Structure formats: C-alpha cells, structure tokens
Amino acid sequence: MGEVWLLLISSIILIYTIFLCNFLSNKVGVNVKSIPGFNVNLEILRGLACFSVFLAHTTMYFGYLAPRYIVSTYTGSFGVNVFFMLTAYLFWGQVINKRIDFNSFYLKRFFRLVPIVITVVAVVTFIDFILNKDRVFNILQIIAIVKNFMFGFGGVNDVFSNDMYLRINTIWTLKWEWLFYLTLPILAIWPKKITLLIALFLSVLTFSDVTKLYSGESDAVFFLAFFLGAITLYFEGYLKRLPARFIALILILLSLGSMLILFSKGYEGTVHYKSLLCTLCAYFCFLFFLVYPMNLPVLILNSLQLLGKVSYSFYLWHLSINFYGIHILKKYFVKNEIEFFSSPFHFLFFGVCMISISLTISFYSFKYIEDYFLQKGHSSKV
C-alpha cells in the first residue's frame, strides 16, 4: 500500500512541478525556443526521466512508508536508461546522417557537460568543508577531492565527512556517457547495425563483470540502453509509417506490463531479470514518445519542455539538496523518525519543498552557467 501512496503523491508533485516550471520560466527568463528539427517529444521525455530520478532519490528516504523500495529502485533505473537511450539515439543519428563534426564535437561536449559538474561538485565540497569542525586538509582528502572531479572515472569519495555518495553520486552516469562519446569516432568508420552489435558485445566484456549479468548487478544493462537507443534509428521509419494510435497503444500496454511485473515482484536482493525488464519498460516509453505526437495543452507542453531543458542541472543538483533537506529535518523538526517517514503527507511536504528548491537552483544555474557555456561552445572553433 505504501508504494501506491508514493505513486499517487508523486503524481501530485508532478502536477505541482508543471506549474512551478511555468512560474520559474517567467521569473528567471528561461524560455522554450522553437528550433527547426527539434524533437519536442524527446525533450519532454528527458524532463520526465529526470523527474523519475528525483523521485527515486526522494522516496528512498521513506523506507518506513514503502519498505519494499520498489519505487525508489525502479524509477531511478528507468530514468537513467532513458537518458542513455536519448544520448545514443541523438548522437548516433548525427553519425549515420553525417551531421557530426569531430573537429568541434568534443569541445562542444566539454562546454555542455563540464562547467556545471565542476560547479556542483565544488559547491558540495565547500559545504562539506564548512560543516566539518576540524577543517584540516591532508593529502588523502586532496586526492579524494581530485577524484570527485573526474566525472565518475574516479568514483565518489568521502572527503571531510561520510556519505558523499548521497550528495554527488549522480556523476557516476557521466563516465558511461563519456565512454560513449569517446567510442563514436571508431564506430563512425563503419556506421552499420553490425557495428553496434560488436560494440555492445565488446563493451559488456570490457567494462562489466560478466559473472553478474544474470543477477542484474552488472552495468551491462546500461550498454543495452545505449544500443537500443542507437539501433532504433534503423527501423523508426517503418514504425512511424504504421498507425500512430495503434502503435502507441501497444507500447503503453508493453510498458505497463513490464512495470506491473516489476512492482508485483518487488526488489529483493538480487534482481535477476528485473533490471532487463526495467530497461525494456524504459525502451517502450522511449518508442512511444518517438512515434506519438504530444497534443497537450500549451501550459503543460511548455512546462514539460522546460523541465527537459534544465534537466541536466536538475539531475546534478537535486541529490545533494535532498540530502541537506533530510539533514535539516532530522536535526530540527523530526522527533520520531518512524512516525515521520511513514507518513504519506510528510512525503508530499518533503517532495514539494525539495523540488521547489532544486528546480529554482536549476533554472538559475542553467541560465547563468549552462547556457553561458553552451553559447561559448557553439561559438568556439578548433
């Protein structure tokens, strides 16, 4: 029953988020722009994927309300799978359509991804330092700080206090994103379906523990997400020629079916086939947004696009904000943790507060950090 409460309240938080995005757009000056060839559906999906990751990192604190941790486990995995599918679809599309210029590609990716990551990790590290009573540097702490700035390649390391992973662990996905970008020139030499199959096979063997494939504890499932996003380009034309409503209905049923299996089985230690099911659920949703036009009211359409637009900042900021929010709650307001974290109304209160703070910061950081460096990247020549 607790999981049902989480889903119902999450829907309320999403509705609140739609109005909040519209308000922040007017207040901060971040607007939706109409660009030729821009896929509105995929921008909306990006925003919803980020919202699902936010849900995972919010519901995980309410284990007393939903002790099976189904929502917190699979909403996060769903969102990350969608991110990887979108990345592969968009950039492999540039490769096969010969619209990618590797002379400027990496510089643009640098300006797009790096400045905001450095900002988030630096701010969290500084707060960690301020809250630390000793405030003394040693060589191990300096090494840990440097590794935290390595975009997931150095892992997530405690510096001045424990549980740094609860503040910046979202950077782990950046490692796999950069690995995809670094392999693009090699894959682009022969942009065929067989190339993607070979790349998937080699990636699984090279970067994952194949002995854990069945248990679902391997990262190989995320290589599958990249593969599915890229391979879609070879048959999306056929898919779009079919009746949109009919295909959309089938995809919705497949997504719901996968989701029902996940929710009925729960999360019990080793997940076996469940990681694969979550990836397939994400893929069916990805295909739905790809083939079915979103005829939504303007307010909802624009707000969800805005959520997608600031999703990278939102993705990076929300985890630490949730962490500090929980810390403040426990220190000043929560007398009985079991009572507080088993209440659906407290979950609603916490979710609304955290998304309000996270999105506000995200809109401002998008405007003054992300967008600024995006313009730098587009104007730079190699």
Side-chain angles (χ1 to χ4, degrees), residues 3 5 9 41 140 143 155 183 192 216 253 256-257 261 308 318 321 331 362 377:
E3 304 290 347
W5 269 114
I9 295 169
N41 280 22
L140 292 178
I143 293 172
T183 58
K192 303 291 184 181
L253 291 174
L256 290 175
I261 294 173
H318 78 272
I321 291 167
K331 187 171 183 179
S362 298

Tab-separated table of all heavy atoms in Angstrom, residues 3 5 9 41 140 143 155 183 192 216 253 256-257 261 308 318 321 331 362 377:
chain	number	residue	atom	x	y	z
A	3	GLU	N	3.694	1.746	-1.499
A	3	GLU	CA	4.157	2.063	-2.852
A	3	GLU	C	3.068	2.794	-3.643
A	3	GLU	O	3.354	3.688	-4.438
A	3	GLU	CB	4.551	0.770	-3.574
A	3	GLU	CG	5.606	-0.068	-2.863
A	3	GLU	CD	6.982	0.565	-2.877
A	3	GLU	OE1	7.184	1.536	-3.640
A	3	GLU	OE2	7.855	0.091	-2.126
A	5	TRP	N	0.760	4.726	-2.352
A	5	TRP	CA	0.759	6.098	-1.839
A	5	TRP	C	1.852	6.930	-2.508
A	5	TRP	O	1.641	8.079	-2.902
A	5	TRP	CB	0.967	6.093	-0.326
A	5	TRP	CG	-0.288	6.037	0.485
A	5	TRP	CD1	-0.702	5.012	1.295
A	5	TRP	CD2	-1.300	7.046	0.573
A	5	TRP	NE1	-1.914	5.311	1.868
A	5	TRP	CE2	-2.299	6.562	1.450
A	5	TRP	CE3	-1.470	8.310	-0.001
A	5	TRP	CZ2	-3.438	7.296	1.763
A	5	TRP	CZ3	-2.601	9.039	0.302
A	5	TRP	CH2	-3.564	8.530	1.170
A	9	ILE	N	1.066	10.269	-4.728
A	9	ILE	CA	1.601	11.562	-4.296
A	9	ILE	C	2.622	12.088	-5.299
A	9	ILE	O	2.712	13.300	-5.540
A	9	ILE	CB	2.210	11.438	-2.882
A	9	ILE	CG1	1.104	11.102	-1.877
A	9	ILE	CG2	2.917	12.729	-2.477
A	9	ILE	CD1	1.607	10.713	-0.518
A	41	ASN	N	8.928	16.012	-28.304
A	41	ASN	CA	8.600	14.810	-27.542
A	41	ASN	C	9.785	14.296	-26.733
A	41	ASN	O	9.652	13.920	-25.564
A	41	ASN	CB	8.119	13.697	-28.470
A	41	ASN	CG	6.673	13.873	-28.877
A	41	ASN	OD1	6.133	14.972	-28.827
A	41	ASN	ND2	6.035	12.793	-29.270
A	140	LEU	N	45.271	12.743	1.658
A	140	LEU	CA	44.205	11.820	1.255
A	140	LEU	C	42.928	12.569	0.877
A	140	LEU	O	42.214	12.183	-0.058
A	140	LEU	CB	43.919	10.825	2.384
A	140	LEU	CG	45.034	9.816	2.700
A	140	LEU	CD1	44.634	8.933	3.875
A	140	LEU	CD2	45.358	8.966	1.473
A	143	ILE	N	43.449	14.113	-2.576
A	143	ILE	CA	43.297	13.075	-3.611
A	143	ILE	C	41.820	12.759	-3.834
A	143	ILE	O	41.364	12.628	-4.972
A	143	ILE	CB	44.077	11.799	-3.216
A	143	ILE	CG1	45.583	12.074	-3.236
A	143	ILE	CG2	43.721	10.638	-4.146
A	143	ILE	CD1	46.425	10.941	-2.683
A	155	GLY	N	35.287	7.547	-9.256
A	155	GLY	CA	34.317	7.141	-8.246
A	155	GLY	C	33.829	8.342	-7.446
A	155	GLY	O	34.119	9.492	-7.769
A	183	THR	N	34.002	6.564	-28.012
A	183	THR	CA	33.973	5.470	-28.986
A	183	THR	C	33.303	5.869	-30.303
A	183	THR	O	33.416	5.153	-31.293
A	183	THR	CB	33.226	4.246	-28.429
A	183	THR	OG1	31.886	4.629	-28.062
A	183	THR	CG2	33.950	3.676	-27.209
A	192	LYS	N	27.141	0.830	-39.278
A	192	LYS	CA	26.151	-0.187	-39.621
A	192	LYS	C	25.600	-0.829	-38.346
A	192	LYS	O	26.165	-0.684	-37.265
A	192	LYS	CB	26.776	-1.267	-40.512
A	192	LYS	CG	27.401	-0.735	-41.792
A	192	LYS	CD	26.349	-0.210	-42.753
A	192	LYS	CE	26.982	0.230	-44.068
A	192	LYS	NZ	25.989	0.773	-45.004
A	216	GLY	N	21.788	-9.175	-12.409
A	216	GLY	CA	21.341	-7.797	-12.618
A	216	GLY	C	22.224	-6.778	-11.945
A	216	GLY	O	21.923	-5.603	-11.919
A	253	LEU	N	0.811	-0.636	-23.437
A	253	LEU	CA	0.500	-1.927	-22.816
A	253	LEU	C	1.774	-2.697	-22.458
A	253	LEU	O	1.868	-3.296	-21.388
A	253	LEU	CB	-0.381	-2.761	-23.747
A	253	LEU	CG	-1.813	-2.252	-23.949
A	253	LEU	CD1	-2.532	-3.090	-25.003
A	253	LEU	CD2	-2.587	-2.273	-22.631
A	256	LEU	N	3.337	-0.879	-19.414
A	256	LEU	CA	2.579	-1.179	-18.195
A	256	LEU	C	2.776	-2.620	-17.765
A	256	LEU	O	2.877	-2.919	-16.573
A	256	LEU	CB	1.095	-0.883	-18.420
A	256	LEU	CG	0.707	0.591	-18.541
A	256	LEU	CD1	-0.769	0.725	-18.883
A	256	LEU	CD2	1.020	1.339	-17.243
A	257	GLY	N	2.825	-3.530	-18.740
A	257	GLY	CA	3.049	-4.933	-18.405
A	257	GLY	C	4.387	-5.148	-17.726
A	257	GLY	O	4.476	-5.842	-16.704
A	261	ILE	N	4.972	-6.264	-13.650
A	261	ILE	CA	5.810	-7.386	-13.221
A	261	ILE	C	6.827	-6.924	-12.194
A	261	ILE	O	7.045	-7.561	-11.164
A	261	ILE	CB	6.523	-8.025	-14.438
A	261	ILE	CG1	5.496	-8.667	-15.373
A	261	ILE	CG2	7.526	-9.073	-13.974
A	261	ILE	CD1	6.079	-9.158	-16.673
A	308	GLY	N	12.650	19.475	-19.281
A	308	GLY	CA	13.677	18.813	-20.067
A	308	GLY	C	14.875	19.706	-20.325
A	308	GLY	O	16.023	19.248	-20.322
A	318	HIS	N	19.790	17.935	-7.477
A	318	HIS	CA	18.725	17.503	-6.563
A	318	HIS	C	19.190	16.548	-5.473
A	318	HIS	O	18.656	16.568	-4.360
A	318	HIS	CB	17.586	16.843	-7.359
A	318	HIS	CG	17.871	15.431	-7.774
A	318	HIS	ND1	18.513	15.123	-8.950
A	318	HIS	CD2	17.599	14.249	-7.159
A	318	HIS	CE1	18.628	13.811	-9.032
A	318	HIS	NE2	18.085	13.251	-7.979
A	321	ILE	N	20.666	18.439	-2.537
A	321	ILE	CA	19.616	19.243	-1.901
A	321	ILE	C	18.716	18.351	-1.051
A	321	ILE	O	18.345	18.713	0.073
A	321	ILE	CB	18.815	20.008	-2.968
A	321	ILE	CG1	19.709	21.093	-3.597
A	321	ILE	CG2	17.562	20.656	-2.376
A	321	ILE	CD1	19.166	21.709	-4.846
A	331	LYS	N	17.474	17.118	12.182
A	331	LYS	CA	18.133	17.867	13.253
A	331	LYS	C	17.174	18.784	14.003
A	331	LYS	O	17.259	18.915	15.230
A	331	LYS	CB	19.282	18.687	12.673
A	331	LYS	CG	20.136	19.360	13.735
A	331	LYS	CD	21.383	19.975	13.128
A	331	LYS	CE	22.263	20.592	14.228
A	331	LYS	NZ	23.509	21.175	13.657
A	362	SER	N	18.192	25.058	-10.286
A	362	SER	CA	18.483	24.525	-11.624
A	362	SER	C	18.189	25.549	-12.719
A	362	SER	O	18.947	25.669	-13.691
A	362	SER	CB	17.671	23.254	-11.868
A	362	SER	OG	18.014	22.254	-10.940
A	377	GLY	N	30.500	27.256	-26.384
A	377	GLY	CA	30.807	26.062	-27.160
A	377	GLY	C	30.411	26.203	-28.611
A	377	GLY	O	31.133	25.797	-29.522
